[in-house]
Amino acid sequence: MAEVLALVEARLRTALGEPDARASVTFLGTDRIEVLRFTDPGQEAGQETGQEAGRESGRDAGRTAGKGPGPGVVRYATLGMSASPMSDPTAALADPLKGPRAELVLTVRAGLADTDKVLRPLAVLAASPQVEGVVVAPGASLDVGEPLWPGAPFTSVLVAEPGGLVENLELDDPMEPVRFLPLLPMTGNEAAWKRVHGADALQEKWLSAGTDLRDPLRRSVPLD
C-alpha cells in the first residue's frame, strides 16, 4: 500500500507541481485518505485556451472547463483511494491485488469561493469504495448530500474520463493502473437531468453552452 501511494504522489507532483497544503481524514474502519492542494496561478488574460483546459478530462466536454481568461485555478487531488483495488460489491471475495484503482481530482477557479472546505467531502468520496463497496468509474454520479463548499450550488459531481491532466500510473502485474478521475460539479437540476438522459448527454449540454465548469459559483446549464 505505501509503495503504491508513494508512486501516486510522485505522479501527482510531476503533473501538478508541489502541493502547497494537505489534509488527512480517517473514517472508522477505513484507511487514511489525504487531500493535496495544488495552486496554479494561471496564465495572463487571453492566453488560456480551450485546448489547454481540455487536459482536465479525456472528453471534449472538458474543454468547456477553461473557457476564457480568468484567475488561476486550485486543484485538489485525493491520495489513499488507490491503496487498494475497488471490488465488485457482488463478489464473494475481494481480490487484494486485481481490480480498478483510482484517485479523484477536482479543479476550480481560485479566489471566488471558500473551496478549501471541499477537502472533507472529497475524502468522503474517496473513501466510498471502502465504506460502501462501490466502484467509482467514468460516467458515475457521486453525491455527498451537502454543498461541496459554503455557498456552492453543488452537492454532487460527475466522474469524467481520465488520461487528460494526469496520466494513468502503470503498476506491476497483476495490479491495474491507477487512474486519476476528474470530478465535474453538478447542480441539483443537472444531476437529476443526468439520471434520465445520461452522462454523455449532460456533457454535450455543457459543451454546447460553453459552460465554465471550473466556476465554483456557476448556475445550472439550460436543460430545455
Side-chain angles (χ1 to χ4, degrees):
M1 178 182 103
E3 181 181 354
V4 169
L5 295 185
L7 293 173
V8 169
E9 182 167 356
R11 175 56 54 89
L12 287 171
R13 289 173 181 267
T14 298
L16 306 180
E18 290 297 313
D20 59 8
R22 62 197 303 157
S24 177
V25 181
T26 303
F27 303 98
L28 184 63
T30 68
D31 295 324
R32 183 180 65 181
I33 300 291
E34 289 189 278
V35 180
L36 281 58
R37 185 184 70 186
F38 302 85
T39 301
D40 184 342
Q43 298 172 321
E44 294 182 2
Q47 291 186 357
E48 186 182 42
T49 66
Q51 182 178 9
E52 171 69 15
R55 295 171 58 207
E56 301 294 336
S57 167
R59 291 185 53 83
D60 288 343
R63 297 179 187 173
T64 65
K67 181 185 175 186
V73 298
V74 180
R75 309 187 197 277
Y76 302 94
T78 64
L79 179 64
M81 182 178 174
S82 61
S84 300
M86 294 179 282
S87 58
D88 185 338
T90 64
L93 184 63
D95 192 303
L97 294 178
K98 296 181 180 179
R101 296 173 188 258
E103 297 289 355
L104 309 176
V105 181
L106 173 69
T107 302
V108 293
R109 294 203 181 276
L112 302 181
D114 187 10
T115 55
D116 280 352
K117 293 296 194 300
V118 79
L119 298 180
R120 184 173 178 82
L122 277 182
V124 170
L125 297 180
S128 61
Q130 295 184 61
V131 176
E132 302 175 19
V134 300
V135 176
V136 178
S141 300
L142 303 175
D143 197 317
V144 296
E146 60 183 22
L148 295 177
W149 50 81
F154 324 105
T155 66
S156 62
V157 295
L158 174 65
V159 182
E161 296 286 342
L165 183 65
V166 186
E167 294 183 1
N168 295 348
L169 173 65
E170 299 291 334
L171 300 176
D172 293 336
D173 287 336
M175 294 185 289
E176 294 187 22
V178 176
R179 301 190 297 170
F180 298 87
L181 302 173
L183 301 181
L184 308 178
M186 295 187 291
T187 67
N189 288 341
E190 290 169 346
W193 197 87
K194 181 261 180 185
R195 285 194 293 270
V196 176
H197 300 280
D200 288 347
L202 177 58
Q203 293 192 73
E204 287 301 324
K205 284 284 188 181
W206 283 335
L207 182 61
S208 62
T211 307
D212 184 357
L213 296 176
R214 292 174 176 171
D215 183 351
L217 298 175
R218 72 173 181 85
R219 297 181 179 180
S220 179
V221 68
L223 297 171
D224 297 334

